[in-house]
Amino acid sequence: MKGRRITLERHLRDEAGRARSPAAGLPPLMTALAGAAKTLARQVRRAALSGSLGYSGDVNVTGDSQKKLDVTANETVLDAVASTGLVAAVVSEELKGAKALSDREEARYILCTDPLDGSSNTDINGSVGTIFGIYPRAGGGPVDEGHDLLRRGSEQIAAGYVMYGPGTVLVYTAGDGVFGFTLDEDSDEFVLTHDRIRCPSRGHYYSANLGHLKEWHPGIRRCIEHLTERDPATGRPYSLRYVGSLVADLHRSLIEGGFYFYPADGGHTNGKLRLLYECAPLALVVEKAGGRASTGTQRILEVRAESIHQRVPLVIGSALEVELYETFMRREP
Ligand code: FBP
């Protein structure tokens, strides 16, 4: 991006000047999350050198075999946000229950996070990510699950992700615009490289694990058939891209258009992805960039969580493709 070099800290200060009250405490919390991302970028990059590849030997609450980096990432994010005193509790993919951090008055936020997304990529030097969603609390005091944790994604005041790929990119929204920052390892600063991102209304790619195709809803299979028919006038056939890291596949859809989906299948009756710390944060980012995110039948941001590790089917990305997917699902009940 030509012109003035804007760091994340500078951007947060400028935005804070314009922010309404619930977001007023965001800059220090976002700065802490960015600090965790810098540490994690190093940990991921050096994992083979530090013996941090492979499995930890444990299984997390949603049944995934935990990678050593899952554990490291969880600790790194928790330590970073705990140091701010602004977070009352954290819901994490790697923790069975929500972790209470503070019941002080100033602990006005709930953090929902997938500290290391795409962990099947850790040992093959593939792209991975971190996902976060931030909810406001009315006041201090002990955290109440029903009131503070089981929320609708539309209640988030900020959300975003970090992608650890060839470069490290942090993308976030606080409701007014979506911004992307690239980590400059030389100065150890996140620098604004994607100002007010707009998700193209349509793309040329779809991302999904086609290994489950036979078990998908007939409308979804029809949609894939449609997208893979040859018709240059409508940009078909679409190409398949699947990194196996939601953050990486979502980032492509956000920047270049296209969509990602993970529907229900024989092994995942409600889809694989978790509502509070995978689907809802990314849905806020994509919607604020003009894209769309649903379960296939309901807007993700309207789904109220019934449990902190609840799974939902997900389709997310360019608005026209997500609408097309929903139409095919409606047409073939
Ligand atoms: P975690 O790695 O955090 O558990 O995330 C889930 C995920 O790895 C997504 O990043 C990815 O899109 C999907 O699951 C891959 O699932 P599958 O291996 O079934 O295609």
Side-chain angles (χ1 to χ4, degrees):
M1 221 173 79
K2 293 260 168 306
R4 205 155 51 93
R5 179 185 165 92
I6 300 174
T7 63
L8 176 63
E9 282 69 26
R10 175 64 195 269
H11 162 88
L12 291 169
R13 274 200 309 278
D14 296 350
E15 290 296 306
R18 295 171 340 104
R20 296 174 305 288
S21 73
L26 265 183
L29 184 49
M30 281 299 301
T31 302
L33 286 166
K38 293 174 187 175
T39 304
L40 258 172
R42 274 193 299 277
Q43 290 169 328
V44 166
R45 238 190 351 266
R46 297 184 55 77
L49 302 165
S50 61
S52 306
L53 296 181
Y55 291 92
S56 70
D58 296 326
V59 173
N60 71 17
V61 63
T62 50
D64 301 334
S65 299
Q66 257 181 349
K67 291 285 184 73
K68 291 178 185 170
L69 279 171
D70 282 320
V71 178
T72 309
N74 191 51
E75 288 160 5
T76 299
V77 172
L78 278 179
D79 292 351
V81 298
S83 67
T84 66
L86 293 166
V87 175
V90 175
V91 171
S92 165
E93 179 182 337
E94 304 310 329
L95 296 174
K96 187 165 186 314
K99 180 160 178 70
L101 293 180
S102 169
D103 58 9
R104 297 164 63 89
E105 193 55 32
E106 60 271 20
R108 286 293 179 86
Y109 300 108
I110 300 289
L111 177 75
C112 296
T113 185
D114 178 357
L116 197 81
D117 166 68
S119 35
S120 62
N121 281 351
T122 57
D123 294 16
I124 50 107
N125 199 29
S127 294
V128 291
T130 295
I131 307 172
F132 60 89
I134 301 169
Y135 292 83
R137 298 186 72 203
V143 166
D144 170 79
E145 177 166 287
H147 188 70
D148 292 311
L149 305 181
L150 302 182
R151 315 281 289 268
R152 280 193 181 84
S154 55
E155 298 172 57
Q156 292 171 110
I157 52 163
Y161 60 85
V162 184
M163 179 179 166
Y164 311 99
T168 298
V169 177
L170 183 155
V171 174
Y172 95 105
T173 184
D176 175 15
V178 175
F179 304 93
F181 298 80
T182 301
L183 180 58
D184 176 348
E185 270 98 6
D186 296 345
S187 66
D188 200 33
E189 290 174 314
F190 276 106
V191 178
L192 183 65
T193 48
H194 301 73
D195 193 10
R196 294 190 173 280
I197 298 170
R198 297 305 294 167
C199 179
S201 58
R202 70 167 64 236
H204 304 289
Y205 303 117
Y206 66 103
S207 301
N209 181 342
L210 287 188
H212 302 299
L213 178 69
K214 289 194 173 61
E215 299 173 334
W216 289 343
H217 182 287
I220 300 171
R221 293 204 302 270
R222 264 299 297 121
C223 181
I224 301 305
E225 278 165 29
H226 170 79
L227 290 174
T228 51
E229 280 154 12
R230 181 158 298 283
D231 178 22
T234 55
R236 292 178 294 151
Y238 278 46
S239 293
L240 174 65
R241 293 282 186 279
Y242 193 62
V243 176
S245 158
L246 168 60
V247 163
D249 286 313
L250 187 276
H251 188 66
R252 180 194 323 101
S253 303
L254 184 71
I255 302 297
E256 292 191 343
F259 69 119
Y260 166 105
F261 57 97
Y262 207 114
D265 59 45
H268 308 95
T269 44
N270 290 315
K272 177 182 182 180
L273 302 168
R274 284 56 55 127
L275 175 63
L276 279 177
Y277 45 80
E278 290 173 318
C279 304
L282 299 179
L284 189 72
V285 170
V286 166
E287 282 206 10
K288 293 299 177 187
R292 190 177 173 88
S294 83
T295 63
T297 55
Q298 184 185 9
R299 188 172 162 242
I300 289 285
L301 293 180
E302 284 163 5
V303 180
R304 176 180 288 284
E306 289 160 12
S307 67
I308 61 172
H309 296 292
Q310 174 185 349
R311 300 175 194 265
V312 288
L314 177 69
V315 53
I316 187 168
S318 292
L320 293 176
E321 274 106 29
V322 174
E323 279 164 16
L324 183 74
Y325 180 103
E326 293 165 344
T327 304
F328 273 103
M329 282 195 76
R330 272 195 307 279
R331 253 194 228 145
E332 318 229 4

